[in-house]
Every structure is written in structure tokens, then in C-alpha cells.
Amino acid sequence: MPNDTGVTKRVGILISGRGSNMMALVEAGIDVALVASDKPDAAGLAWARDHGLSTFALSPKGIGKPAYEAALNVALGDAEVEVIALAGYMRLLSDAFVAAWRGRIVNIHPSLLPKYKGLDTHARAIAAGDAEAGCSVHVVTEELDAGEVLGQELVPILPGDDADALAARVLIAEHRLYPRILAEFVRR
Ligand code: GAR
């Protein structure tokens, strides 16, 4: 149930790339306390800095996942993050990290879960002859793309679609769905 205090939780967004979903969340007025990335050269980080957001960037390469996640956790704690939103974050979080944040990590995935967990979702939907694709926002658990689905948006697959054309159409839906569902999630 949404509370009626108007108080929302502070969100940390994790990205690995261009960060268009992060931009949609910021522009929708989500209270973004930190944008963090495992790719120090992620394009989305520059956008976040340009928009005055706090950022954290560290590659696990060379230091290993435990040290990387420990440092990420410190950054999230320093920023007083309460909810983590994965937005094109392309690295698996460890079971220990997920357990420490149990029920407080959400992700956007470019398929109608439980269909097409993992990668290459659009090519797989087209190859299967599906009439519809879409995107899902779900709670992150230790099992890949398997946590509770909080919301979905359907997108038609059109004749002649290739994976890139479908991805572009689904991305527009992602930018609508994620802010709406996350805004509900940070109020509950
Ligand atoms: C988005 O389509 C997102 O759903 C997908 O990566 C893209 C990131 O774009 N995420 C996954 O595939 C997660 N398994 P963005 O960086 O522009 O938000």
C-alpha cells in the first residue's frame, strides 16, 4: 500500500552504459541519491555528473567482485540510499549483496518475464514468432530475472522487426514503465 506521507525513499541507480532509463527516472523526479557504475567510462555517468548528481564509479577488474561490492556498499551507505534501481546494470550481483539488500533492489528487464530471462531478449522473442514483446520491472533476488514482477508494459512485434527495431520500441515503453513503478515502490 502506498503511504500517504508523500515521503519517498532515497534511490541509488546502478548503470553500466548509456543510462537512458536512469535519465527517465531522474527526469520523473525520483529522489536519486547516487548513480553508480561498474564501468567508469559509462556514458550515463557523464550525464549524471552534468546534472549535478552524486556518482560513484569503480571497475571490479583487478580487485575482484567482493572488494568491488564492498566499496559500492560503502558508497551507497554514505549516500543514505534505501532502494537500489538497476538500470542497464549488466553485472550479476553476488548472493551476499542481494541478501544484504533483500527486497530493496529492483530491475528493469526488456522482456515480458518470465519469458526470456538473461540476454538477447528481443532476438529470442522474434525468433519464437511472438506477437508481443515488452518490458518488466521486478524485484531482484538471487535467481536471475526471477523475482516478483511489479509491472509490465506490452509492445507489439511488427512484421519486419529486427532486434534493434524492437529494442528501440521497447525502450520507449521502459522509459514510461520504470518511473511509474519505481515511484510506487519507493512509497510503500
Ligand atoms: C535497457 O533496455 C534495459 O532494459 C536492459 O539494458 C538496456 C539499458 O539501456 N537491461 C537488461 O538487459 C538487464 N538484463 P539504458 O542504459 O539506456 O537504460
Side-chain angles (χ1 to χ4, degrees):
M1 276 289 285
N3 67 42
D4 56 5
T5 61
V7 175
T8 65
K9 299 195 177 76
R10 290 166 64 81
V11 174
I13 304 180
L14 269 53
I15 64 170
S16 296
R18 71 191 158 185
S20 72
N21 276 289
M22 168 206 67
M23 296 171 195
L25 296 175
V26 170
E27 284 167 355
I30 295 287
D31 181 6
V32 178
L34 184 71
V35 175
S37 182
D38 60 324
K39 303 265 193 207
D41 59 354
L45 274 179
W47 187 94
R49 284 190 206 103
D50 286 349
H51 286 73
L53 296 165
S54 297
T55 61
F56 170 84
L58 180 66
S59 171
K61 287 196 185 120
I63 61 168
K65 187 175 270 195
Y68 161 76
E69 286 188 345
L72 174 60
N73 243 325
V74 169
L76 292 165
D78 286 349
E80 299 178 19
V81 165
E82 299 168 282
V83 165
I84 296 174
L86 307 184
Y89 183 73
M90 301 310 280
R91 190 172 295 278
L92 287 176
L93 294 167
S94 70
D95 287 358
F97 188 95
V98 172
W101 286 87
R102 166 111 29 236
R104 296 186 294 151
I105 311 176
V106 296
N107 180 41
I108 183 135
H109 183 74
S111 79
L112 297 174
L113 291 171
K115 280 185 145 180
Y116 312 125
K117 297 170 181 170
L119 299 175
D120 299 324
T121 55
H122 306 300
R124 287 154 69 201
I126 291 168
D130 292 357
E132 282 171 333
C135 48
S136 307
V137 175
H138 67 93
V139 177
V140 171
T141 62
E142 287 83 347
E143 195 183 335
L144 179 68
D145 299 330
E148 178 194 359
V149 172
L150 301 170
Q152 293 183 314
E153 187 167 326
L154 272 59
V155 173
I157 299 180
L158 302 180
D161 265 353
D162 61 12
D164 287 346
L166 181 57
R169 194 174 314 114
V170 170
L171 193 63
I172 293 168
E174 293 183 39
H175 297 163
R176 270 194 302 265
L177 180 72
Y178 208 2
R180 182 167 67 78
I181 300 300
L182 188 61
E184 289 170 10
F185 189 80
V186 295
R187 282 187 181 84
R188 66 185 200 179

